[in-house]
Amino acid sequence: MKADAPTRNPSRRDTAKLGLLFAILYFVQSAGEPVAGLVAQPVRSLMRSWGESPATIATFAALVSLPWSLKPLYGLLSDLVPLAGYRRRSYLILTSGLATASFVALYLLRPGAGSATLLLVLLIVPTVSLAFGDVLVDALMVEKGQPTGTTGILQSVQWAASYTATLLIGVLGGYLSQRGMQLEAFLVVAALCLLTLVLSWRFVTEERHRPGESFRETLEGLKAAASSRTLLAIAAFLFLWSLDPLSTTIVYLHTTVHLGLSEQFFGITISVLAIGCIVASVAYAFYCRRVSPAALAHAAILLGALSQAAYWTMEGRVSAIVVHVIVGFTWMTGSLIQLDLAARICPPKAAATVFAVLMALTNLASSLGEWLGGAWYESLLASMSGSAAFATMVGFGVAAKLSCWLLYVIMPRGMALREVLVQSSSDRSGGEGGLRP
């Protein structure tokens, strides 16, 4: 189904209603996500109380996050197989219902020591549901925003709602973990997922679709993506940038165990980090089109390294707050640059699928980095102090980010990242963007 021509003056009321709907949907996604949402710290705290090792907790988090690497499959399923005639609405209702049921089951079953497998299974279901929902809401944003020319407004809503959720869940997650109320977090998130179900049923509207509609255009876009050296270069860049051994799990364990700071305080640092992310998001909107893509790519690598190096200065409560503001700003700026570069090279005919592939690749790299980092950290703790082990892991994180510059050296000339960025620079000046094989 082709998008209608943009409307120059969409109704403010309609835009406001649509923006409110997307704000709530994105808020729930950020709050409900098991690896980084409200239940993330309570789950780590719960497993720590069971006596699980750092490597086990990190591996658990990596396994739970794996469904995010399958986002391209969710996109293809939604695009090609309408459910009850709808590509988005029906799947949103189904996935939010499954997530609600899983979180309620976790609260009622109240898993204890030795129940890590049960906890994993019941967290995988909502992770799949929320990852699928993320693909669906992004697709709705494009479909609803393009005809009215409000995609920029809706994307601004996405980031604002997402980090507002992060601000709140950091404090609440720390509060519940500190007071041994980890299981109550599942009940809160279940209520939020139920809200998504109700909103999807009542307010998400779309035209009915037939199976295979726009099938040919999607295949054409995917063919262009598969033959593009540009895409390969950007994919390699995204993967290496996201392969981060200094995970949140390691920062959590260092903060609460080796620095001796409370669960509540760690939750506060997550909220402070979100403030840095919000500032970075607002700032990026002002300068992103005034700086060349090549400069942005170099800045992403440098800022990524700085976001890791800042942890070397974290020694107590005050420094932890300052560090997390810096980390939030630098990490979010680098991440926004990655997303911007990825969006610029997506073929218009298959933008949702290709973008999902790129994001799945970053999620896979992130999971791999968390798993490797957890194993390295536990090995280091066996031979040195906690502070020395953490400092070494910070060094690994800095090296991982700086290694992105190796792409300029090892890639064949035809796939050199600098050539990709030159192309991106020409694309942004006007005309139809996307891949050029």
Side-chain angles (χ1 to χ4, degrees), residues 104-146:
V104 169
L106 275 167
Y107 176 75
L108 295 177
L109 293 175
R110 311 188 76 80
S115 302
T117 301
L118 174 64
L119 182 63
L120 176 64
V121 171
L122 289 178
L123 282 177
I124 284 289
V125 174
T127 303
V128 171
S129 298
L130 288 164
F132 201 149
D134 181 68
V135 173
L136 297 169
V137 174
D138 284 342
L140 280 172
M141 182 271 295
V142 173
E143 293 168 358
K144 299 293 186 182
Q146 282 188 357

Side-chain angles (χ1 to χ4, degrees), residues 33-74:
E33 208 286 304
V35 179
L38 174 59
V39 303
Q41 185 179 348
V43 167
R44 295 188 187 102
S45 176
L46 199 61
M47 296 187 69
R48 178 186 162 198
S49 71
W50 296 347
E52 301 290 353
S53 68
T56 299
I57 297 174
T59 301
F60 183 93
L63 290 174
V64 172
S65 66
L66 281 177
W68 283 90
S69 301
L70 304 178
K71 287 175 65 175
L73 296 182
Y74 314 144

Side-chain angles (χ1 to χ4, degrees), residues 10 13 48 68 74 84 131-132 151 164-165 184 203 238 252 256 273 295-296 306 371 380 385 394 424:
R13 181 178 180 181
R48 178 186 162 198
W68 283 90
Y74 314 144
F132 201 149
T151 53
T164 298
E184 277 68 17
F203 296 107
L238 288 170
Y252 163 75
T256 58
L273 186 144
L296 288 176
L306 288 176
W371 172 66
L380 291 170
S385 68
V394 172
S424 297

Side-chain angles (χ1 to χ4, degrees), residues 30-308:
S30 297
E33 208 286 304
V35 179
L38 174 59
V39 303
Q41 185 179 348
V43 167
R44 295 188 187 102
S45 176
L46 199 61
M47 296 187 69
R48 178 186 162 198
S49 71
W50 296 347
E52 301 290 353
S53 68
T56 299
I57 297 174
T59 301
F60 183 93
L63 290 174
V64 172
S65 66
L66 281 177
W68 283 90
S69 301
L70 304 178
K71 287 175 65 175
L73 296 182
Y74 314 144
L76 284 173
L77 179 61
S78 174
D79 285 338
L80 302 178
V81 186
L83 184 62
Y86 297 106
R87 297 190 300 172
R88 320 300 181 201
R89 180 174 180 270
S90 297
Y91 282 110
L92 268 175
I93 293 171
L94 175 62
T95 55
S96 56
L98 289 173
T100 301
S102 296
F103 284 124
V104 169
L106 275 167
Y107 176 75
L108 295 177
L109 293 175
R110 311 188 76 80
S115 302
T117 301
L118 174 64
L119 182 63
L120 176 64
V121 171
L122 289 178
L123 282 177
I124 284 289
V125 174
T127 303
V128 171
S129 298
L130 288 164
F132 201 149
D134 181 68
V135 173
L136 297 169
V137 174
D138 284 342
L140 280 172
M141 182 271 295
V142 173
E143 293 168 358
K144 299 293 186 182
Q146 282 188 357
T148 58
T150 57
T151 53
I153 295 174
L154 297 179
Q155 286 177 325
S156 298
V157 167
Q158 170 187 351
W159 290 111
S162 178
Y163 285 108
T164 298
T166 302
L167 276 172
L168 298 177
I169 65 179
V171 175
L172 182 55
Y175 176 87
L176 295 175
S177 299
Q178 182 70 28
R179 287 158 179 75
M181 301 170 61
Q182 294 93 337
L183 296 177
E184 277 68 17
F186 298 132
L187 199 59
V188 174
V189 175
L192 291 175
C193 292
L194 182 60
L195 176 61
T196 296
L197 189 156
V198 173
L199 289 174
S200 300
W201 182 279
R202 180 67 179 83
F203 296 107
V204 173
T205 60
E206 61 173 317
E207 295 180 3
R208 285 184 173 272
H209 295 268
R210 298 185 302 272
E213 191 174 15
S214 73
F215 187 80
R216 181 179 302 174
E217 287 191 354
T218 300
L219 288 183
E220 289 176 356
L222 293 177
K223 183 179 179 180
S227 60
S228 173
R229 293 178 298 185
T230 299
L231 178 63
L232 179 59
I234 288 292
F237 186 54
L238 288 170
F239 184 87
L240 195 56
W241 197 89
S242 302
L243 189 63
D244 186 3
L246 186 63
S247 64
T248 303
T249 298
I250 293 175
V251 176
Y252 163 75
L253 292 171
H254 179 71
T255 302
T256 58
V257 177
H258 300 291
L259 293 183
L261 301 176
S262 68
E263 296 273 3
Q264 178 71 76
F265 182 80
F266 179 78
I268 291 173
T269 65
I270 298 300
S271 295
V272 169
L273 186 144
I275 293 175
C277 289
I278 292 172
V279 174
S281 299
V282 173
Y284 187 73
F286 288 98
Y287 67 78
C288 63
R289 297 302 175 185
R290 296 181 173 89
V291 182
S292 71
L296 288 176
H298 286 295
I301 298 171
L302 181 59
L303 288 169
L306 288 176
S307 72
Q308 307 289 287

Side-chain angles (χ1 to χ4, degrees), residues 349-388:
K349 294 180 180 179
T353 302
V354 174
F355 195 78
V357 169
L358 292 174
M359 294 304 99
L361 191 64
T362 65
N363 291 326
L364 179 61
S366 179
S367 297
L368 180 59
E370 175 138 11
W371 172 66
L372 290 173
W376 292 345
Y377 184 55
E378 184 170 353
S379 177
L380 291 170
L381 286 175
S383 59
M384 60 181 68
S385 68
S387 296

